Amino acid sequence: MIELKNLVKRYGSHLAVDHLNLTIEDGKIYGFLGPNGAGKSTTMNMMTGYLSATEGDIIVNGHNVLEEPEEAKACIGYLPEQPPLYMDMTVKEYLMFCAELKKVPKDKRAEQVQAVEEMARLTDVSGRLIKNLSKGYRQRVGLAQAILGFPPIIILDEPTVGLDPKQIIEIRDLIRQLSKEHTVILSSHILSEVQELCDVILIISHGRLVANDSAEHLEETLRGSSRLNLVVKGGQEDITAALSAVDGIRALKVTPKEDGTCAVTLEQAQGADLRETLFYALADARLPILEMKQTEANLEKVFLELTDDRNQPAAGEKKRRRLLRRHPTAEEAALDAPESPATTEENTHTAALEETEEPEFDDLYAVELPEDGEAPEPDDLYAAAPPEDALSDAAEESPAEDAGDDKEDAQ
């Protein structure tokens, strides 16, 4: 089991992982999802001890990664996104070397190397140099070294990158086989792969955990209302009036188009099917439906919705807590409480800025035009005196610099 407690990772001013709390249970396959730069690989690197955390604790099978690094790392097999391979070794030499690093007993190394070669389908290339292997086979070698020692936890960062379809199927079967005796954590950008393989899906956005549940439950949670998209011929006001009389519509948006039709988007309550009702309501109002399409949440829509909260952070935070299925803390509960604009630090600072008048740009370096209306010469523009404040910061030239200038003029 792995516990992440208030985990933080900063790179200068950039917050890569933002107070992450997570418990990973034994015997399941966990899938890490998130856009590029969300903090997936950083979190995995901290879990394996490759990176140190700025704040927080990581407990692996009762061992703190910071206080007991060797004991914690012995519980984890790790395949990074770029496998750490020695290109001038053969596959068998490299795996024997990794078995020695993992302190596999000497009398069991050959047996374990042969076992992981068979599991990763590497038996036929065991004697070949790694540099002569394809990218797919190199990925398999990296996976084999992660399995060596048969640790209870296996972490795989993009394990199917560079593999052909047949190899992908074989690796997925291997991951399912490993999950019978190991806890497997994998990251992937292939949503269908995560949905097919994983028991639990973890979605990370901007360094924060926004979802922690099965794919089915995530879809059901965000499928609280299904959406209907229609194209209706008629005016915006007429369509809005006709649909306002229909019960069961949770949200409605009518957008007029140039061709005399309107794009209608509406949300209906969970389990409701208003298509027939909408048809008769618009038909009675002499507003023909040219197109009707129903869309429901799937993992792709869940992912896009949960990772697109830049413009509405408060709404995204509420949705994140709902999907994590845990009781909110006092700090989180404060997010739902209405905040008085007059008492916020941000608004106070903004009000102070509004009261302070800044000088206009033209007032700083103003040049008066001649009365006859002629444009000033370029030399006159640069002869304008700067403000007195600027003069106070100017450094005076030293006598040595003046002497040097006179010497150059004489030459």
Side-chain angles (χ1 to χ4, degrees), residues 140-156:
R140 292 186 185 209
V141 175
L143 180 58
Q145 67 80 24
I147 302 172
L148 264 176
F150 302 104
I153 301 167
I154 297 176
I155 299 178
L156 310 174

Side-chain angles (χ1 to χ4, degrees), residues 89-390:
M89 287 184 174
T90 65
V91 173
K92 183 175 287 293
E93 289 172 345
Y94 173 74
L95 293 177
M96 290 293 290
F97 173 66
C98 291
E100 184 178 355
L101 290 179
K102 293 189 175 187
K103 298 182 179 180
V104 176
K106 191 172 182 179
D107 57 339
K108 296 182 178 180
R109 289 176 191 168
E111 178 184 350
Q112 282 203 19
V113 167
Q114 182 178 357
V116 297
E117 283 182 344
E118 292 176 356
M119 294 174 70
R121 306 289 197 275
L122 291 170
T123 305
D124 295 338
V125 297
S126 178
R128 293 179 57 182
L129 292 175
I130 294 176
K131 66 180 180 182
N132 294 331
L133 299 178
S134 66
K135 183 177 180 181
Y137 272 105
R138 292 179 188 179
Q139 193 77 2
R140 292 186 185 209
V141 175
L143 180 58
Q145 67 80 24
I147 302 172
L148 264 176
F150 302 104
I153 301 167
I154 297 176
I155 299 178
L156 310 174
D157 195 354
E158 301 283 351
T160 57
V161 170
L163 303 183
D164 60 45
K166 181 180 178 181
Q167 291 174 331
I168 290 175
I169 294 173
E170 292 175 349
I171 294 300
R172 289 177 182 175
D173 291 338
L174 175 57
I175 292 174
R176 291 190 188 95
Q177 180 182 346
L178 292 172
S179 67
K180 296 177 181 178
E181 299 180 359
H182 307 266
T183 299
V184 181
I185 305 170
L186 65 92
S187 71
S188 177
H189 285 101
I190 306 174
L191 299 183
S192 59
E193 178 176 78
V194 174
Q195 188 170 13
E196 179 183 348
L197 281 177
C198 300
D199 303 310
V200 179
I201 294 177
L202 310 171
I203 300 180
I204 295 181
S205 179
H206 309 297
R208 308 193 69 184
L209 186 67
V210 296
N212 178 6
D213 214 329
S214 66
E216 294 79 9
H217 192 272
L218 285 175
E219 293 176 359
E220 290 175 2
T221 303
L222 289 189
R223 195 185 289 137
S225 60
S226 59
R227 179 172 297 177
L228 283 173
N229 297 316
L230 297 85
V231 177
V232 182
K233 186 175 182 180
Q236 181 179 11
E237 295 181 358
D238 296 334
I239 296 173
T240 303
L243 295 179
S244 298
V246 178
D247 294 331
I249 297 179
R250 299 179 57 180
L252 175 65
K253 181 180 179 182
V254 181
T255 306
K257 301 170 69 174
E258 295 181 355
D259 58 358
T261 63
C262 288
V264 180
T265 302
L266 60 88
E267 291 186 359
Q268 52 189 358
Q270 182 176 5
D273 188 354
L274 300 178
R275 289 176 293 179
E276 184 176 347
T277 305
L278 294 174
F279 171 81
Y280 285 116
L282 292 173
D284 291 342
R286 309 292 294 176
L287 299 169
I289 300 175
L290 303 182
E291 181 180 336
M292 181 185 293
K293 184 166 53 178
Q294 183 170 359
T295 59
E296 293 186 348
N298 54 31
L299 186 57
E300 181 178 354
K301 291 184 174 64
V302 171
F303 176 80
L304 293 175
E305 185 169 351
L306 290 176
T307 57
D308 189 22
D309 288 324
R310 291 176 181 266
N311 298 327
Q312 297 178 339
E317 179 64 17
K318 294 176 186 177
K319 187 183 300 176
R320 180 183 74 89
R321 294 202 308 274
R322 174 163 57 90
L323 290 171
L324 289 177
R325 298 187 303 170
R326 59 185 179 86
H327 298 291
T329 62
E331 180 182 358
E332 292 173 333
L335 289 172
D336 294 330
E339 191 173 8
S340 174
T343 59
T344 60
E345 180 181 353
E346 181 180 357
N347 289 331
T348 303
H349 179 63
T350 304
L353 290 177
E354 291 175 352
E355 293 175 0
T356 305
E357 295 184 359
E358 296 184 358
E360 298 292 338
F361 177 79
D362 294 337
D363 295 336
L364 295 176
Y365 295 95
V367 180
E368 295 184 2
L369 293 176
E371 295 181 357
D372 55 6
E374 295 181 2
E377 295 295 331
D379 294 338
D380 296 334
L381 291 175
Y382 295 99
E388 294 181 1
D389 294 342

Side-chain angles (χ1 to χ4, degrees), residues 7-20 37-43 46 51 54 204-208:
L7 194 63
V8 176
K9 181 61 179 179
R10 291 189 180 91
Y11 295 99
S13 60
H14 175 64
L15 188 60
V17 178
D18 185 5
H19 299 88
L20 188 63
K40 303 186 302 297
S41 295
T42 301
T43 301
M46 288 191 290
L51 284 177
T54 306
I204 295 181
S205 179
H206 309 297
R208 308 193 69 184

